[in-house]
Amino acid sequence: MGRWEPDARGRMTRAALELFAERGFEQTTACDIAERAGVTERTFFRHFADKREVLFDGSESLVRTAREAILAAPDLPPFDAALVGVVAATDLLEGHREHAAHRARIIEANPGLRERELLKIAALADLTTEALRTRGVAEPAAALAAHSAVAVFQVAFARWVAEEQRADLATCVAETAAALRALV
Amino acid sequence: MGRWEPDARGRMTRAALELFAERGFEQTTACDIAERAGVTERTFFRHFADKREVLFDGSESLVRTAREAILAAPDLPPFDAALVGVVAATDLLEGHREHAAHRARIIEANPGLRERELLKIAALADLTTEALRTRGVAEPAAALAAHSAVAVFQVAFARWVAEEQRADLATCVAETAAALRALV
């Protein structure tokens, strides 16, 4: 393995998803992933703390993107400002429907991974709440707008990964937000 | 320890909360809890699988109560039907503010407990969605109404345990639901 490893991280991520689907998450080792990706185990551990981390690699940048978008948004009612964050976060997933669907199936099948995913979603709600408070939104409006926007994200995301035809997550978010407004 | 143990379960729950607060969750053993409650360790394990379970003892009946209330509710719009579930569930907590606040602080301080709590909240959203579907509510309305009602529950609960003066969770839920309707 040379020092120069074009897209080693991407190769490891793809290899991990393949192996988790083929053998199950529990039965796959970091060593298996490294081998399939054509890198050393040492390279794997330079990029990821463990095999679980491969699945949550993008979560932090997703949450950070949402937060920054809310802070940079123009003057909007709280729920609309929270949605700006969700839309910015989903932009990062757009065009990767197959990967997202694949990942969602692996997580759904493993309670430990599901707990981790829920913790990431809770972090998205918490940071959205905080960003809204920074914009001067009072409680309970900040927490409610954040939780509602995250609910839109979760429902839109589930629809997006479930529908094979659908290429566009942004439309799914817009439709789901409209459905929520009609509902409440 | 005799066979007759009046409210042994309640004593163990109170002892566990006391000890978790005094020493921290990690530093407390099942044996410590049994000793403080005046029961044998064997009695502890007849009631609870482990010390974590003491904190989640009521979660399942809370979710079951919500589900049954939704299925038994009169004809209502989806979000209102979902709220019927939340109100029925919160009825079980009413009058136990201090215990709930105490428990919330312990869970907040421990990431493993927080993951577990989030899984229970996700179960509440999932079963609420399912109950709404059983009532004939289509998607995405069922999932959206469920997630929104659970968001109301989370925000109302957080306010209730944070406000020392507040005795009434039902009022808190009603106010929070009204705030959400105004917001969205």
Side-chain angles (χ1 to χ4, degrees), chain A residues 114-115 118-119 126 141 144-145 147-148 151 176 180 183, chain B residues 114-115 118-119 126 141 144-145 147-148 151 176 179-180 183:
Chain A
R114 183 123 200 266
E115 289 196 1
L118 290 170
L119 207 62
D126 287 350
L144 275 173
H147 275 94
S148 304
T176 307
L180 181 64
L183 202 67
Chain B
R114 182 122 201 267
E115 290 196 2
L118 290 170
L119 207 62
D126 287 351
L144 274 173
H147 275 93
S148 304
T176 307
L180 181 63
L183 203 66

mmCIF file with all atom_site columns, all heavy atoms in Angstrom, chain A residues 114-115 118-119 126 141 144-145 147-148 151 176 180 183, chain B residues 114-115 118-119 126 141 144-145 147-148 151 176 179-180 183:
data_model
loop_
_atom_site.group_PDB
_atom_site.id
_atom_site.type_symbol
_atom_site.label_atom_id
_atom_site.label_alt_id
_atom_site.label_comp_id
_atom_site.label_asym_id
_atom_site.label_entity_id
_atom_site.label_seq_id
_atom_site.pdbx_PDB_ins_code
_atom_site.Cartn_x
_atom_site.Cartn_y
_atom_site.Cartn_z
_atom_site.occupancy
_atom_site.B_iso_or_equiv
_atom_site.pdbx_formal_charge
_atom_site.auth_seq_id
_atom_site.auth_comp_id
_atom_site.auth_asym_id
_atom_site.auth_atom_id
_atom_site.pdbx_PDB_model_num
ATOM 1   N N   . ARG A 1 114 ? -29.020 1.663  15.716 1.00 0.00 ? 114 ARG A N   1
ATOM 2   C CA  . ARG A 1 114 ? -30.232 2.489  15.765 1.00 0.00 ? 114 ARG A CA  1
ATOM 3   C C   . ARG A 1 114 ? -30.126 3.503  16.917 1.00 0.00 ? 114 ARG A C   1
ATOM 4   O O   . ARG A 1 114 ? -30.462 4.671  16.746 1.00 0.00 ? 114 ARG A O   1
ATOM 5   C CB  . ARG A 1 114 ? -31.448 1.567  15.941 1.00 0.00 ? 114 ARG A CB  1
ATOM 6   C CG  . ARG A 1 114 ? -32.752 2.278  15.945 1.00 0.00 ? 114 ARG A CG  1
ATOM 7   C CD  . ARG A 1 114 ? -33.735 1.801  14.903 1.00 0.00 ? 114 ARG A CD  1
ATOM 8   N NE  . ARG A 1 114 ? -34.729 2.843  14.711 1.00 0.00 ? 114 ARG A NE  1
ATOM 9   C CZ  . ARG A 1 114 ? -35.905 2.884  15.347 1.00 0.00 ? 114 ARG A CZ  1
ATOM 10  N NH1 . ARG A 1 114 ? -36.253 1.938  16.188 1.00 0.00 ? 114 ARG A NH1 1
ATOM 11  N NH2 . ARG A 1 114 ? -36.738 3.895  15.135 1.00 0.00 ? 114 ARG A NH2 1
ATOM 12  N N   . GLU A 1 115 ? -29.638 3.041  18.082 1.00 0.00 ? 115 GLU A N   1
ATOM 13  C CA  . GLU A 1 115 ? -29.461 3.966  19.219 1.00 0.00 ? 115 GLU A CA  1
ATOM 14  C C   . GLU A 1 115 ? -28.514 5.088  18.833 1.00 0.00 ? 115 GLU A C   1
ATOM 15  O O   . GLU A 1 115 ? -28.757 6.253  19.130 1.00 0.00 ? 115 GLU A O   1
ATOM 16  C CB  . GLU A 1 115 ? -28.907 3.217  20.448 1.00 0.00 ? 115 GLU A CB  1
ATOM 17  C CG  . GLU A 1 115 ? -29.909 2.286  21.089 1.00 0.00 ? 115 GLU A CG  1
ATOM 18  C CD  . GLU A 1 115 ? -29.527 1.844  22.509 1.00 0.00 ? 115 GLU A CD  1
ATOM 19  O OE1 . GLU A 1 115 ? -28.489 2.277  23.015 1.00 0.00 ? 115 GLU A OE1 1
ATOM 20  O OE2 . GLU A 1 115 ? -30.298 1.067  23.101 1.00 0.00 ? 115 GLU A OE2 1
ATOM 21  N N   . LEU A 1 118 ? -30.204 7.550  16.519 1.00 0.00 ? 118 LEU A N   1
ATOM 22  C CA  . LEU A 1 118 ? -31.145 8.392  17.263 1.00 0.00 ? 118 LEU A CA  1
ATOM 23  C C   . LEU A 1 118 ? -30.409 9.485  18.033 1.00 0.00 ? 118 LEU A C   1
ATOM 24  O O   . LEU A 1 118 ? -30.907 10.609 18.157 1.00 0.00 ? 118 LEU A O   1
ATOM 25  C CB  . LEU A 1 118 ? -31.987 7.543  18.219 1.00 0.00 ? 118 LEU A CB  1
ATOM 26  C CG  . LEU A 1 118 ? -33.010 6.625  17.542 1.00 0.00 ? 118 LEU A CG  1
ATOM 27  C CD1 . LEU A 1 118 ? -33.608 5.656  18.550 1.00 0.00 ? 118 LEU A CD1 1
ATOM 28  C CD2 . LEU A 1 118 ? -34.118 7.439  16.866 1.00 0.00 ? 118 LEU A CD2 1
ATOM 29  N N   . LEU A 1 119 ? -29.216 9.156  18.538 1.00 0.00 ? 119 LEU A N   1
ATOM 30  C CA  . LEU A 1 119 ? -28.417 10.146 19.249 1.00 0.00 ? 119 LEU A CA  1
ATOM 31  C C   . LEU A 1 119 ? -27.985 11.269 18.293 1.00 0.00 ? 119 LEU A C   1
ATOM 32  O O   . LEU A 1 119 ? -27.966 12.442 18.670 1.00 0.00 ? 119 LEU A O   1
ATOM 33  C CB  . LEU A 1 119 ? -27.191 9.457  19.855 1.00 0.00 ? 119 LEU A CB  1
ATOM 34  C CG  . LEU A 1 119 ? -26.581 10.072 21.114 1.00 0.00 ? 119 LEU A CG  1
ATOM 35  C CD1 . LEU A 1 119 ? -27.557 10.068 22.268 1.00 0.00 ? 119 LEU A CD1 1
ATOM 36  C CD2 . LEU A 1 119 ? -25.318 9.310  21.516 1.00 0.00 ? 119 LEU A CD2 1
ATOM 37  N N   . ASP A 1 126 ? -31.068 19.349 18.986 1.00 0.00 ? 126 ASP A N   1
ATOM 38  C CA  . ASP A 1 126 ? -30.476 20.205 20.031 1.00 0.00 ? 126 ASP A CA  1
ATOM 39  C C   . ASP A 1 126 ? -29.741 21.396 19.418 1.00 0.00 ? 126 ASP A C   1
ATOM 40  O O   . ASP A 1 126 ? -29.896 22.533 19.870 1.00 0.00 ? 126 ASP A O   1
ATOM 41  C CB  . ASP A 1 126 ? -29.496 19.406 20.897 1.00 0.00 ? 126 ASP A CB  1
ATOM 42  C CG  . ASP A 1 126 ? -30.216 18.441 21.834 1.00 0.00 ? 126 ASP A CG  1
ATOM 43  O OD1 . ASP A 1 126 ? -31.448 18.532 21.945 1.00 0.00 ? 126 ASP A OD1 1
ATOM 44  O OD2 . ASP A 1 126 ? -29.537 17.598 22.448 1.00 0.00 ? 126 ASP A OD2 1
ATOM 45  N N   . ALA A 1 141 ? -40.848 28.084 21.649 1.00 0.00 ? 141 ALA A N   1
ATOM 46  C CA  . ALA A 1 141 ? -40.884 28.137 20.180 1.00 0.00 ? 141 ALA A CA  1
ATOM 47  C C   . ALA A 1 141 ? -39.619 27.532 19.568 1.00 0.00 ? 141 ALA A C   1
ATOM 48  O O   . ALA A 1 141 ? -39.701 26.798 18.570 1.00 0.00 ? 141 ALA A O   1
ATOM 49  C CB  . ALA A 1 141 ? -41.077 29.579 19.712 1.00 0.00 ? 141 ALA A CB  1
ATOM 50  N N   . LEU A 1 144 ? -39.674 23.688 19.890 1.00 0.00 ? 144 LEU A N   1
ATOM 51  C CA  . LEU A 1 144 ? -40.778 23.137 19.089 1.00 0.00 ? 144 LEU A CA  1
ATOM 52  C C   . LEU A 1 144 ? -40.498 23.233 17.598 1.00 0.00 ? 144 LEU A C   1
ATOM 53  O O   . LEU A 1 144 ? -40.746 22.288 16.845 1.00 0.00 ? 144 LEU A O   1
ATOM 54  C CB  . LEU A 1 144 ? -42.075 23.878 19.402 1.00 0.00 ? 144 LEU A CB  1
ATOM 55  C CG  . LEU A 1 144 ? -42.841 23.367 20.616 1.00 0.00 ? 144 LEU A CG  1
ATOM 56  C CD1 . LEU A 1 144 ? -43.999 24.298 20.898 1.00 0.00 ? 144 LEU A CD1 1
ATOM 57  C CD2 . LEU A 1 144 ? -43.324 21.939 20.382 1.00 0.00 ? 144 LEU A CD2 1
ATOM 58  N N   . ALA A 1 145 ? -39.997 24.391 17.160 1.00 0.00 ? 145 ALA A N   1
ATOM 59  C CA  . ALA A 1 145 ? -39.682 24.571 15.742 1.00 0.00 ? 145 ALA A CA  1
ATOM 60  C C   . ALA A 1 145 ? -38.587 23.585 15.337 1.00 0.00 ? 145 ALA A C   1
ATOM 61  O O   . ALA A 1 145 ? -38.654 22.966 14.271 1.00 0.00 ? 145 ALA A O   1
ATOM 62  C CB  . ALA A 1 145 ? -39.236 26.008 15.473 1.00 0.00 ? 145 ALA A CB  1
ATOM 63  N N   . HIS A 1 147 ? -37.746 20.624 16.826 1.00 0.00 ? 147 HIS A N   1
ATOM 64  C CA  . HIS A 1 147 ? -38.253 19.244 16.810 1.00 0.00 ? 147 HIS A CA  1
ATOM 65  C C   . HIS A 1 147 ? -39.169 19.004 15.605 1.00 0.00 ? 147 HIS A C   1
ATOM 66  O O   . HIS A 1 147 ? -39.146 17.927 15.013 1.00 0.00 ? 147 HIS A O   1
ATOM 67  C CB  . HIS A 1 147 ? -38.998 18.931 18.109 1.00 0.00 ? 147 HIS A CB  1
ATOM 68  C CG  . HIS A 1 147 ? -38.090 18.486 19.222 1.00 0.00 ? 147 HIS A CG  1
ATOM 69  N ND1 . HIS A 1 147 ? -37.573 19.349 20.156 1.00 0.00 ? 147 HIS A ND1 1
ATOM 70  C CD2 . HIS A 1 147 ? -37.573 17.267 19.528 1.00 0.00 ? 147 HIS A CD2 1
ATOM 71  C CE1 . HIS A 1 147 ? -36.800 18.676 21.002 1.00 0.00 ? 147 HIS A CE1 1
ATOM 72  N NE2 . HIS A 1 147 ? -36.781 17.417 20.638 1.00 0.00 ? 147 HIS A NE2 1
ATOM 73  N N   . SER A 1 148 ? -39.981 19.997 15.257 1.00 0.00 ? 148 SER A N   1
ATOM 74  C CA  . SER A 1 148 ? -40.885 19.827 14.115 1.00 0.00 ? 148 SER A CA  1
ATOM 75  C C   . SER A 1 148 ? -40.102 19.725 12.819 1.00 0.00 ? 148 SER A C   1
ATOM 76  O O   . SER A 1 148 ? -40.411 18.901 11.951 1.00 0.00 ? 148 SER A O   1
ATOM 77  C CB  . SER A 1 148 ? -41.867 20.997 14.030 1.00 0.00 ? 148 SER A CB  1
ATOM 78  O OG  . SER A 1 148 ? -42.562 21.115 15.239 1.00 0.00 ? 148 SER A OG  1
ATOM 79  N N   . ALA A 1 151 ? -38.577 16.402 12.655 1.00 0.00 ? 151 ALA A N   1
ATOM 80  C CA  . ALA A 1 151 ? -39.611 15.422 12.307 1.00 0.00 ? 151 ALA A CA  1
ATOM 81  C C   . ALA A 1 151 ? -39.851 15.418 10.797 1.00 0.00 ? 151 ALA A C   1
ATOM 82  O O   . ALA A 1 151 ? -39.965 14.357 10.175 1.00 0.00 ? 151 ALA A O   1
ATOM 83  C CB  . ALA A 1 151 ? -40.913 15.725 13.054 1.00 0.00 ? 151 ALA A CB  1
ATOM 84  N N   . THR A 1 176 ? -43.248 17.299 2.530  1.00 0.00 ? 176 THR A N   1
ATOM 85  C CA  . THR A 1 176 ? -43.498 16.859 3.910  1.00 0.00 ? 176 THR A CA  1
ATOM 86  C C   . THR A 1 176 ? -43.762 18.055 4.819  1.00 0.00 ? 176 THR A C   1
ATOM 87  O O   . THR A 1 176 ? -44.656 18.000 5.680  1.00 0.00 ? 176 THR A O   1
ATOM 88  C CB  . THR A 1 176 ? -42.297 16.031 4.423  1.00 0.00 ? 176 THR A CB  1
ATOM 89  O OG1 . THR A 1 176 ? -42.030 14.983 3.480  1.00 0.00 ? 176 THR A OG1 1
ATOM 90  C CG2 . THR A 1 176 ? -42.580 15.418 5.771  1.00 0.00 ? 176 THR A CG2 1
ATOM 91  N N   . LEU A 1 180 ? -47.151 18.809 6.947  1.00 0.00 ? 180 LEU A N   1
ATOM 92  C CA  . LEU A 1 180 ? -47.184 19.109 8.382  1.00 0.00 ? 180 LEU A CA  1
ATOM 93  C C   . LEU A 1 180 ? -47.990 20.382 8.650  1.00 0.00 ? 180 LEU A C   1
ATOM 94  O O   . LEU A 1 180 ? -48.802 20.430 9.574  1.00 0.00 ? 180 LEU A O   1
ATOM 95  C CB  . LEU A 1 180 ? -45.772 19.257 8.950  1.00 0.00 ? 180 LEU A CB  1
ATOM 96  C CG  . LEU A 1 180 ? -45.718 19.560 10.455 1.00 0.00 ? 180 LEU A CG  1
ATOM 97  C CD1 . LEU A 1 180 ? -46.299 18.408 11.267 1.00 0.00 ? 180 LEU A CD1 1
ATOM 98  C CD2 . LEU A 1 180 ? -44.302 19.858 10.930 1.00 0.00 ? 180 LEU A CD2 1
ATOM 99  N N   . LEU A 1 183 ? -51.532 19.720 8.543  1.00 0.00 ? 183 LEU A N   1
ATOM 100 C CA  . LEU A 1 183 ? -51.972 18.747 9.546  1.00 0.00 ? 183 LEU A CA  1
ATOM 101 C C   . LEU A 1 183 ? -52.176 19.365 10.926 1.00 0.00 ? 183 LEU A C   1
ATOM 102 O O   . LEU A 1 183 ? -53.036 18.951 11.692 1.00 0.00 ? 183 LEU A O   1
ATOM 103 C CB  . LEU A 1 183 ? -50.875 17.677 9.641  1.00 0.00 ? 183 LEU A CB  1
ATOM 104 C CG  . LEU A 1 183 ? -51.227 16.323 10.181 1.00 0.00 ? 183 LEU A CG  1
ATOM 105 C CD1 . LEU A 1 183 ? -52.163 15.629 9.215  1.00 0.00 ? 183 LEU A CD1 1
ATOM 106 C CD2 . LEU A 1 183 ? -49.960 15.506 10.364 1.00 0.00 ? 183 LEU A CD2 1
ATOM 107 N N   . ARG B 1 114 ? -28.894 7.986  27.903 1.00 0.00 ? 114 ARG B N   1
ATOM 108 C CA  . ARG B 1 114 ? -29.551 8.904  26.965 1.00 0.00 ? 114 ARG B CA  1
ATOM 109 C C   . ARG B 1 114 ? -29.938 8.150  25.682 1.00 0.00 ? 114 ARG B C   1
ATOM 110 O O   . ARG B 1 114 ? -31.046 8.309  25.174 1.00 0.00 ? 114 ARG B O   1
ATOM 111 C CB  . ARG B 1 114 ? -28.582 10.067 26.661 1.00 0.00 ? 114 ARG B CB  1
ATOM 112 C CG  . ARG B 1 114 ? -29.129 11.114 25.755 1.00 0.00 ? 114 ARG B CG  1
ATOM 113 C CD  . ARG B 1 114 ? -29.150 12.500 26.345 1.00 0.00 ? 114 ARG B CD  1
ATOM 114 N NE  . ARG B 1 114 ? -30.122 13.294 25.609 1.00 0.00 ? 114 ARG B NE  1
ATOM 115 C CZ  . ARG B 1 114 ? -29.817 14.067 24.564 1.00 0.00 ? 114 ARG B CZ  1
ATOM 116 N NH1 . ARG B 1 114 ? -28.581 14.209 24.160 1.00 0.00 ? 114 ARG B NH1 1
ATOM 117 N NH2 . ARG B 1 114 ? -30.777 14.726 23.920 1.00 0.00 ? 114 ARG B NH2 1
ATOM 118 N N   . GLU B 1 115 ? -29.038 7.302  25.167 1.00 0.00 ? 115 GLU B N   1
ATOM 119 C CA  . GLU B 1 115 ? -29.352 6.507  23.971 1.00 0.00 ? 115 GLU B CA  1
ATOM 120 C C   . GLU B 1 115 ? -30.573 5.633  24.231 1.00 0.00 ? 115 GLU B C   1
ATOM 121 O O   . GLU B 1 115 ? -31.457 5.522  23.394 1.00 0.00 ? 115 GLU B O   1
ATOM 122 C CB  . GLU B 1 115 ? -28.166 5.620  23.572 1.00 0.00 ? 115 GLU B CB  1
ATOM 123 C CG  . GLU B 1 115 ? -26.995 6.396  23.020 1.00 0.00 ? 115 GLU B CG  1
ATOM 124 C CD  . GLU B 1 115 ? -25.970 5.528  22.266 1.00 0.00 ? 115 GLU B CD  1
ATOM 125 O OE1 . GLU B 1 115 ? -26.181 4.307  22.135 1.00 0.00 ? 115 GLU B OE1 1
ATOM 126 O OE2 . GLU B 1 115 ? -24.961 6.101  21.808 1.00 0.00 ? 115 GLU B OE2 1
ATOM 127 N N   . LEU B 1 118 ? -33.715 7.704  24.217 1.00 0.00 ? 118 LEU B N   1
ATOM 128 C CA  . LEU B 1 118 ? -34.085 8.082  22.851 1.00 0.00 ? 118 LEU B CA  1
ATOM 129 C C   . LEU B 1 118 ? -34.749 6.923  22.113 1.00 0.00 ? 118 LEU B C   1
ATOM 130 O O   . LEU B 1 118 ? -35.665 7.108  21.315 1.00 0.00 ? 118 LEU B O   1
ATOM 131 C CB  . LEU B 1 118 ? -32.860 8.573  22.082 1.00 0.00 ? 118 LEU B CB  1
ATOM 132 C CG  . LEU B 1 118 ? -32.299 9.921  22.541 1.00 0.00 ? 118 LEU B CG  1
ATOM 133 C CD1 . LEU B 1 118 ? -30.948 10.196 21.879 1.00 0.00 ? 118 LEU B CD1 1
ATOM 134 C CD2 . LEU B 1 118 ? -33.271 11.060 22.237 1.00 0.00 ? 118 LEU B CD2 1
ATOM 135 N N   . LEU B 1 119 ? -34.279 5.705  22.406 1.00 0.00 ? 119 LEU B N   1
ATOM 136 C CA  . LEU B 1 119 ? -34.876 4.524  21.789 1.00 0.00 ? 119 LEU B CA  1
ATOM 137 C C   . LEU B 1 119 ? -36.322 4.354  22.258 1.00 0.00 ? 119 LEU B C   1
ATOM 138 O O   . LEU B 1 119 ? -37.201 3.980  21.478 1.00 0.00 ? 119 LEU B O   1
ATOM 139 C CB  . LEU B 1 119 ? -34.043 3.291  22.159 1.00 0.00 ? 119 LEU B CB  1
ATOM 140 C CG  . LEU B 1 119 ? -34.061 2.114  21.201 1.00 0.00 ? 119 LEU B CG  1
ATOM 141 C CD1 . LEU B 1 119 ? -33.501 2.495  19.845 1.00 0.00 ? 119 LEU B CD1 1
ATOM 142 C CD2 . LEU B 1 119 ? -33.246 0.957  21.769 1.00 0.00 ? 119 LEU B CD2 1
ATOM 143 N N   . ASP B 1 126 ? -43.037 5.422  16.888 1.00 0.00 ? 126 ASP B N   1
ATOM 144 C CA  . ASP B 1 126 ? -43.364 4.310  15.976 1.00 0.00 ? 126 ASP B CA  1
ATOM 145 C C   . ASP B 1 126 ? -44.732 3.716  16.283 1.00 0.00 ? 126 ASP B C   1
ATOM 146 O O   . ASP B 1 126 ? -45.527 3.469  15.377 1.00 0.00 ? 126 ASP B O   1
ATOM 147 C CB  . ASP B 1 126 ? -42.297 3.200  16.082 1.00 0.00 ? 126 ASP B CB  1
ATOM 148 C CG  . ASP B 1 126 ? -40.985 3.600  15.425 1.00 0.00 ? 126 ASP B CG  1
ATOM 149 O OD1 . ASP B 1 126 ? -40.954 4.645  14.742 1.00 0.00 ? 126 ASP B OD1 1
ATOM 150 O OD2 . ASP B 1 126 ? -39.995 2.875  15.606 1.00 0.00 ? 126 ASP B OD2 1
ATOM 151 N N   . ALA B 1 141 ? -49.154 11.505 6.638  1.00 0.00 ? 141 ALA B N   1
ATOM 152 C CA  . ALA B 1 141 ? -49.860 12.148 7.753  1.00 0.00 ? 141 ALA B CA  1
ATOM 153 C C   . ALA B 1 141 ? -49.666 11.390 9.067  1.00 0.00 ? 141 ALA B C   1
ATOM 154 O O   . ALA B 1 141 ? -49.450 12.009 10.121 1.00 0.00 ? 141 ALA B O   1
ATOM 155 C CB  . ALA B 1 141 ? -51.348 12.277 7.422  1.00 0.00 ? 141 ALA B CB  1
ATOM 156 N N   . LEU B 1 144 ? -46.106 11.955 10.413 1.00 0.00 ? 144 LEU B N   1
ATOM 157 C CA  . LEU B 1 144 ? -45.926 13.365 10.774 1.00 0.00 ? 144 LEU B CA  1
ATOM 158 C C   . LEU B 1 144 ? -46.702 13.740 12.033 1.00 0.00 ? 144 LEU B C   1
ATOM 159 O O   . LEU B 1 144 ? -46.185 14.439 12.907 1.00 0.00 ? 144 LEU B O   1
ATOM 160 C CB  . LEU B 1 144 ? -46.388 14.257 9.627  1.00 0.00 ? 144 LEU B CB  1
ATOM 161 C CG  . LEU B 1 144 ? -45.357 14.532 8.548  1.00 0.00 ? 144 LEU B CG  1
ATOM 162 C CD1 . LEU B 1 144 ? -45.999 15.278 7.399  1.00 0.00 ? 144 LEU B CD1 1
ATOM 163 C CD2 . LEU B 1 144 ? -44.176 15.318 9.120  1.00 0.00 ? 144 LEU B CD2 1
ATOM 164 N N   . ALA B 1 145 ? -47.957 13.274 12.103 1.00 0.00 ? 145 ALA B N   1
ATOM 165 C CA  . ALA B 1 145 ? -48.774 13.563 13.292 1.00 0.00 ? 145 ALA B CA  1
ATOM 166 C C   . ALA B 1 145 ? -48.130 12.926 14.520 1.00 0.00 ? 145 ALA B C   1
ATOM 167 O O   . ALA B 1 145 ? -48.059 13.544 15.591 1.00 0.00 ? 145 ALA B O   1
ATOM 168 C CB  . ALA B 1 145 ? -50.195 13.034 13.093 1.00 0.00 ? 145 ALA B CB  1
ATOM 169 N N   . HIS B 1 147 ? -44.852 12.055 14.994 1.00 0.00 ? 147 HIS B N   1
ATOM 170 C CA  . HIS B 1 147 ? -43.610 12.744 15.362 1.00 0.00 ? 147 HIS B CA  1
ATOM 171 C C   . HIS B 1 147 ? -43.903 14.112 15.984 1.00 0.00 ? 147 HIS B C   1
ATOM 172 O O   . HIS B 1 147 ? -43.205 14.531 16.905 1.00 0.00 ? 147 HIS B O   1
ATOM 173 C CB  . HIS B 1 147 ? -42.704 12.907 14.132 1.00 0.00 ? 147 HIS B CB  1
ATOM 174 C CG  . HIS B 1 147 ? -41.851 11.701 13.870 1.00 0.00 ? 147 HIS B CG  1
ATOM 175 N ND1 . HIS B 1 147 ? -42.224 10.695 13.020 1.00 0.00 ? 147 HIS B ND1 1
ATOM 176 C CD2 . HIS B 1 147 ? -40.647 11.328 14.371 1.00 0.00 ? 147 HIS B CD2 1
ATOM 177 C CE1 . HIS B 1 147 ? -41.279 9.762  12.991 1.00 0.00 ? 147 HIS B CE1 1
ATOM 178 N NE2 . HIS B 1 147 ? -40.310 10.121 13.803 1.00 0.00 ? 147 HIS B NE2 1
ATOM 179 N N   . SER B 1 148 ? -44.908 14.814 15.478 1.00 0.00 ? 148 SER B N   1
ATOM 180 C CA  . SER B 1 148 ? -45.231 16.129 16.032 1.00 0.00 ? 148 SER B CA  1
ATOM 181 C C   . SER B 1 148 ? -45.771 16.003 17.451 1.00 0.00 ? 148 SER B C   1
ATOM 182 O O   . SER B 1 148 ? -45.412 16.795 18.330 1.00 0.00 ? 148 SER B O   1
ATOM 183 C CB  . SER B 1 148 ? -46.268 16.837 15.160 1.00 0.00 ? 148 SER B CB  1
ATOM 184 O OG  . SER B 1 148 ? -45.800 16.936 13.842 1.00 0.00 ? 148 SER B OG  1
ATOM 185 N N   . ALA B 1 151 ? -42.960 15.272 19.666 1.00 0.00 ? 151 ALA B N   1
ATOM 186 C CA  . ALA B 1 151 ? -42.191 16.509 19.888 1.00 0.00 ? 151 ALA B CA  1
ATOM 187 C C   . ALA B 1 151 ? -42.863 17.358 20.965 1.00 0.00 ? 151 ALA B C   1
ATOM 188 O O   . ALA B 1 151 ? -42.197 17.910 21.849 1.00 0.00 ? 151 ALA B O   1
ATOM 189 C CB  . ALA B 1 151 ? -42.066 17.299 18.586 1.00 0.00 ? 151 ALA B CB  1
ATOM 190 N N   . THR B 1 176 ? -48.142 23.568 25.090 1.00 0.00 ? 176 THR B N   1
ATOM 191 C CA  . THR B 1 176 ? -47.112 23.279 24.092 1.00 0.00 ? 176 THR B CA  1
ATOM 192 C C   . THR B 1 176 ? -47.752 22.933 22.747 1.00 0.00 ? 176 THR B C   1
ATOM 193 O O   . THR B 1 176 ? -47.270 23.364 21.689 1.00 0.00 ? 176 THR B O   1
ATOM 194 C CB  . THR B 1 176 ? -46.199 22.133 24.586 1.00 0.00 ? 176 THR B CB  1
ATOM 195 O OG1 . THR B 1 176 ? -45.713 22.472 25.885 1.00 0.00 ? 176 THR B OG1 1
ATOM 196 C CG2 . THR B 1 176 ? -45.021 21.926 23.661 1.00 0.00 ? 176 THR B CG2 1
ATOM 197 N N   . ALA B 1 179 ? -48.858 26.072 21.221 1.00 0.00 ? 179 ALA B N   1
ATOM 198 C CA  . ALA B 1 179 ? -47.701 26.809 20.696 1.00 0.00 ? 179 ALA B CA  1
ATOM 199 C C   . ALA B 1 179 ? -47.262 26.234 19.352 1.00 0.00 ? 179 ALA B C   1
ATOM 200 O O   . ALA B 1 179 ? -46.906 26.972 18.429 1.00 0.00 ? 179 ALA B O   1
ATOM 201 C CB  . ALA B 1 179 ? -46.541 26.761 21.700 1.00 0.00 ? 179 ALA B CB  1
ATOM 202 N N   . LEU B 1 180 ? -47.311 24.908 19.226 1.00 0.00 ? 180 LEU B N   1
ATOM 203 C CA  . LEU B 1 180 ? -46.922 24.281 17.953 1.00 0.00 ? 180 LEU B CA  1
ATOM 204 C C   . LEU B 1 180 ? -47.887 24.666 16.837 1.00 0.00 ? 180 LEU B C   1
ATOM 205 O O   . LEU B 1 180 ? -47.477 24.993 15.727 1.00 0.00 ? 180 LEU B O   1
ATOM 206 C CB  . LEU B 1 180 ? -46.862 22.752 18.089 1.00 0.00 ? 180 LEU B CB  1
ATOM 207 C CG  . LEU B 1 180 ? -46.449 22.020 16.803 1.00 0.00 ? 180 LEU B CG  1
ATOM 208 C CD1 . LEU B 1 180 ? -45.033 22.393 16.387 1.00 0.00 ? 180 LEU B CD1 1
ATOM 209 C CD2 . LEU B 1 180 ? -46.552 20.504 16.957 1.00 0.00 ? 180 LEU B CD2 1
ATOM 210 N N   . LEU B 1 183 ? -47.184 27.984 15.607 1.00 0.00 ? 183 LEU B N   1
ATOM 211 C CA  . LEU B 1 183 ? -45.841 28.114 15.025 1.00 0.00 ? 183 LEU B CA  1
ATOM 212 C C   . LEU B 1 183 ? -45.777 27.611 13.589 1.00 0.00 ? 183 LEU B C   1
ATOM 213 O O   . LEU B 1 183 ? -45.021 28.154 12.766 1.00 0.00 ? 183 LEU B O   1
ATOM 214 C CB  . LEU B 1 183 ? -44.896 27.266 15.892 1.00 0.00 ? 183 LEU B CB  1
ATOM 215 C CG  . LEU B 1 183 ? -43.439 27.593 15.897 1.00 0.00 ? 183 LEU B CG  1
ATOM 216 C CD1 . LEU B 1 183 ? -43.207 28.957 16.525 1.00 0.00 ? 183 LEU B CD1 1
ATOM 217 C CD2 . LEU B 1 183 ? -42.692 26.530 16.693 1.00 0.00 ? 183 LEU B CD2 1
#
